[in-house]
């Protein structure tokens, strides 16, 4: 039976040798956290957090205190590597959406790790490129003038990403509306309108896109 290593869940680490994975595993701290716990904030961001099992959300706060969701973090996802490398976390938070198990790698251990293993540093750069691309996609969405056009582009992106016209919304309505810069009520109304005109079929968080929007 394969060892249950937290670091094996993470693309940053799971292609490394098993001996190196074991070394990294000895550095992490395992924690069980309750739903609603904020595990990263501007005052507490000098660490890498791996979602061993559970779900969280990465968000920012606007000037008026409203949450702007950036990413949903699921089992195997991680966040914090940018801040560990010296970028200041001025307005990012990670809150757990359900009771979860997380693994925490502290700054000093992480720094020694990437200094000693260049392959980890290269994987880290690849992960950062993917994160930047995701933020670029959201920036494109927010640059569109109407919620209709943002929603259409978002659904088209899901079709391309999931490789099927039947897609599953990765975000709850509250978080998706925040991601698209609108309210849950408006988002629900726009989805209903698309269904009425026959462009989509929707059942809860599953949507079949009948034609590209």
């Amino acid at each position: 039976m394969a060892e249950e290593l937290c670091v094996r869940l993470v693309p940053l680490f799971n292609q490394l040798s098993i001996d190196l994975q074991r070394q990294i595993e000895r550095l992490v701290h395992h924690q069980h956290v309750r739903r609603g716990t904020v595990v990263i904030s501007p005052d507490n961001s000098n660490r890498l957090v791996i979602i061993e099992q559970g779900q969280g959300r990465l968000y920012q706060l606007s000037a008026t205190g409203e949450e702007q969701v950036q990413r949903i973090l699921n089992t195997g996802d991680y966040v914090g590597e940018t801040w560990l490398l010296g970028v200041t976390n001025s307005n990012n938070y990670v809150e757990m959406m359900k009771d979860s198990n997380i693994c925490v790698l502290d700054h000093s251990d992480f720094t020694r790790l990437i200094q000693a293993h260049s392959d980890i540093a290269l994987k880290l750069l690849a992960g950062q490129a993917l994160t930047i691309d995701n933020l670029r996609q959201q920036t494109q969405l927010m640059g569109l003038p109407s919620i209709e056009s943002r929603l259409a582009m978002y659904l088209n992106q899901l079709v391309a990403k999931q490789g099927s016209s039947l897609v599953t919304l990765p975000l709850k309505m509250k978080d998706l509306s925040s991601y698209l810069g609108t309210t849950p009520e408006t988002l629900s109304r726009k989805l209903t309108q698309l269904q009425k005109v026959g462009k989509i079929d929707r059942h809860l968080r599953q949507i079949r896109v009948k034609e590209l929007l």
Side-chain angles (χ1 to χ4, degrees), residues 26-53:
R26 287 194 287 270
L27 299 176
V28 303
H29 306 282
H30 295 257
Q31 299 178 12
H32 179 75
V33 292
R34 305 288 293 180
R35 175 184 177 183
T37 301
V38 176
V39 297
I40 285 183
S41 69
D43 296 327
N44 183 27
S45 58
N46 60 341
R47 55 187 186 164
L48 178 78
V49 174
I50 304 166
I51 311 299
E52 183 177 18
Q53 185 177 35

Side-chain angles (χ1 to χ4, degrees), residues 5 33-34 43 49 86 90 102 118 148 156 161 166 176 194:
L5 302 178
V33 292
R34 305 288 293 180
D43 296 327
V49 174
S90 59
I102 65 173
S118 59
E148 291 88 348
N156 290 340
K161 185 178 297 184
L166 179 62
L176 179 55
L194 288 175

Side-chain angles (χ1 to χ4, degrees), residues 147-148 151 185-195:
I147 181 57
E148 291 88 348
L151 178 58
E185 295 77 15
T186 298
L187 177 59
S188 180
R189 186 168 63 251
K190 298 303 180 183
L191 286 169
T192 299
Q193 289 173 357
L194 288 175
Q195 185 161 356

Side-chain angles (χ1 to χ4, degrees), residues 175-187:
D175 294 323
L176 179 55
S177 61
S178 172
Y179 183 84
L180 296 176
T182 186
T183 65
E185 295 77 15
T186 298
L187 177 59

Side-chain angles (χ1 to χ4, degrees), residues 40 56-60 68-73 79 83 92-95:
I40 285 183
R57 60 196 182 107
L58 171 65
Y59 66 90
Q60 295 181 337
Q68 176 66 51
V69 176
Q70 305 294 310
R71 281 175 63 198
I72 295 298
L73 305 169
V79 65
W83 307 316
N92 290 279
Y93 301 79
V94 174
E95 178 183 338

Side-chain angles (χ1 to χ4, degrees), residues 37 62 111 122:
T37 301
S62 70
T111 301
L122 291 173

Side-chain angles (χ1 to χ4, degrees), residues 111-128:
T111 301
R112 285 195 295 268
L113 188 64
I114 63 173
Q115 288 175 340
H117 301 283
S118 59
D119 46 353
I120 294 179
L122 291 173
K123 288 179 179 295
L124 178 61
L125 290 174
Q128 282 301 102

